[in-house]
Amino acid sequence: MLQIGIVGLPNVGKSTLFKALTKKQVDISNYPFTTIDPNIGVVAVPDERLEPLVKMSGSKKIVPTAIEFIDIAGLVKGAAAGEGLGNKFLANIREVDAIAEVVRVFENENIVHVHKKIDPANDIEIIDAELILADLETVGRRAEKAPKGDQKSASEISALKKLKSGLESGILAINIKLDEKEKETARELNLLTNKKFIYVLNVSEAQLKENWSPDENLKKAIGENDFVAMCGTFELLLSESNPEEQQIYLEETGLKESRLDALIKRAYHTLGLITFLTTGEDETRAWTAKIGMPIPQAARAIHTDFEKLFIRAEVINWQELLKIGGWSQAKSLGKMRTVGRDYIIQEGDVVEIKI
């Protein structure tokens, strides 16, 4: 299951965001090998396609695809040198697929900012600096142990030199130019700044209603990364309300959907993922695959043996299937495509795998 680590300085609204997320917690019995710790929330990726497919197939069960959000202890300046929870923070974040960084934009004199001022661009720079320092330490340790003499070690030493030079210049590892072999070394190191980032800009409800957007300084700090502007306290209120109340609150604020739902979707797509579907009487289910993945590889999500035992698959786009009205009707009309091992799975494909 995909893991997104929620990080940020103290008093930026991380706990409020995490509390709102865990109100959306899904039934984890549908996801094998998942253990829920107090700081982990498994939430469904919102998918409007599932309900109509359930109605069409008469499915007994609906299983959306899901993401684990991990609430990681507040980062402070000096964490890389062991300040605050230091190494514990860094160990937790090293395991995640992507990082959701909560950045405080809202003003509230009752909640003291750790640096006594609201400056979101500066907060991002502080966290970037701590992650870079931790990565420099990792690169340094690897350089001390790097073997010398063969072609693989030459590529590794070249990667380590480029990473060290880039990180020392304040460049995140993900933005340092490396060739394919050097990128392998960077992946092996599991560097913190080699992960995808999504910025959660925590605004006030008033700013949300005013359709707030980041200034030039903040845009520069965010760079090309995804961001979502949301109000943590408003999202918590939404998550604790019934559907009718939620609709009223959203209309009052001028939103089409919860910004938390937008964050969950954004996190999914930031990682270069798509959803394919299966549907039948037992269940309608969403599955995760990477963009550009051949169908036998994607089928591993359903069962690990499916890649090896794959013969062919029947595929149809979910909208076309709904329009036709069912799997058997699509077959009789010749609308179902039979595909082989080289077929690349597409967003919204409904599949039946033959093994």
Side-chain angles (χ1 to χ4, degrees):
M1 191 177 294
L2 295 166
Q3 293 187 325
I4 309 288
I6 303 172
V7 306
L9 295 169
N11 295 344
V12 296
K14 279 169 59 267
S15 299
T16 306
L17 171 65
F18 186 71
K19 194 174 176 186
L21 277 165
T22 52
K23 295 282 180 188
K24 290 176 167 284
Q25 187 121 318
V26 294
D27 176 7
I28 63 159
S29 64
N30 289 318
Y31 305 94
F33 318 119
T34 302
T35 305
I36 298 300
D37 293 326
N39 67 333
I40 296 177
V42 178
V43 297
V45 177
D47 196 330
E48 64 282 351
R49 298 170 292 197
L50 293 173
E51 286 290 350
L53 286 171
V54 164
K55 283 179 187 167
M56 181 199 76
S57 300
S59 307
K60 298 184 186 80
K61 193 163 74 165
I62 183 168
V63 186
T65 191
I67 296 179
E68 269 187 9
F69 280 90
I70 302 172
D71 185 22
I72 293 164
L75 178 63
V76 296
K77 196 170 184 176
E83 293 293 325
L85 288 174
N87 293 336
K88 183 178 190 301
F89 160 84
L90 297 171
N92 286 343
I93 199 174
R94 214 173 280 285
E95 303 307 317
V96 300
D97 298 293
I99 295 168
E101 184 177 325
V102 184
V103 181
R104 178 171 169 179
V105 179
F106 69 87
E107 300 269 1
N108 187 331
E109 58 188 27
N110 297 319
I111 303 172
V112 180
H113 190 286
V114 70
H115 298 132
K116 307 289 189 289
K117 61 174 181 176
I118 306 300
D119 186 346
N122 184 57
D123 290 356
I124 289 173
E125 283 166 22
I126 287 168
I127 288 186
D128 282 354
E130 291 304 322
L131 300 181
I132 284 170
L133 286 169
D135 281 350
L136 272 168
E137 195 180 322
T138 303
V139 168
R141 281 199 306 268
R142 181 65 168 260
E144 286 169 13
K145 297 174 184 174
K148 294 169 181 66
D150 59 19
Q151 199 174 352
K152 185 180 186 300
S153 62
S155 171
E156 184 176 319
I157 289 162
S158 167
L160 293 169
K161 280 181 181 172
K162 287 182 186 178
L163 287 165
K164 184 174 185 287
S165 172
L167 290 165
E168 284 176 343
S169 304
I171 302 169
L172 303 182
I174 201 166
N175 298 325
I176 296 169
K177 286 186 169 56
L178 303 172
D179 66 28
E180 283 311 309
K181 284 188 177 174
E182 291 167 344
K183 281 178 183 174
E184 277 177 37
T185 299
R187 279 193 291 271
E188 285 168 18
L189 289 168
N190 210 4
L191 298 174
L192 303 172
T193 64
N194 204 28
K195 296 180 187 294
K196 299 270 191 177
F197 270 73
I198 307 152
Y199 290 98
V200 181
L201 307 177
N202 195 7
V203 301
S204 67
E205 199 169 329
Q207 286 170 315
L208 197 66
K209 285 177 181 173
E210 290 158 9
N211 205 19
W212 174 92
S213 63
D215 62 22
E216 288 309 310
N217 259 356
L218 186 48
K219 279 180 187 171
K220 192 178 172 188
I222 291 166
E224 293 179 9
N225 295 293
D226 268 338
F227 72 88
V228 177
M230 68 163 68
C231 172
T233 50
F234 177 72
E235 290 299 332
L236 184 56
L237 172 70
L238 272 186
S239 66
E240 291 173 338
S241 306
N242 64 43
E244 292 76 21
E245 290 169 335
Q246 285 174 5
Q247 200 51 47
I248 293 165
Y249 293 141
L250 286 170
E251 283 169 11
E252 283 175 355
T253 318
L255 295 178
K256 288 180 181 173
E257 68 171 349
S258 151
R259 301 304 293 152
L260 201 52
D261 283 352
L263 168 65
I264 295 163
K265 290 178 188 174
R266 197 73 53 85
Y268 194 75
H269 291 292
T270 291
L271 290 165
L273 303 170
I274 60 166
T275 304
F276 68 100
L277 307 140
T278 53
T279 188
E281 284 184 17
D282 286 339
E283 67 174 27
T284 290
R285 187 167 189 144
W287 305 91
T288 302
K290 286 188 176 174
I291 291 169
M293 190 176 264
I295 195 165
Q297 223 177 319
R300 276 178 60 85
I302 302 172
H303 195 287
T304 50
D305 287 343
F306 277 20
E307 182 178 11
K308 187 174 63 179
L309 302 174
F310 182 92
I311 297 170
R312 64 183 186 279
E314 290 182 329
V315 178
I316 187 169
N317 176 269
W318 72 280
Q319 284 172 310
E320 193 175 3
L321 181 61
L322 283 174
K323 206 182 292 179
I324 292 166
W327 201 261
S328 56
Q329 294 94 313
K331 272 186 178 179
S332 62
L333 290 168
K335 297 291 186 182
M336 199 72 68
R337 282 181 299 156
T338 300
V339 300
R341 299 186 73 85
D342 58 348
Y343 177 75
I344 303 299
I345 196 85
Q346 302 295 312
E347 175 67 47
D349 276 349
V350 185
V351 306
E352 188 172 273
I353 309 292
K354 305 291 184 184
I355 59 166

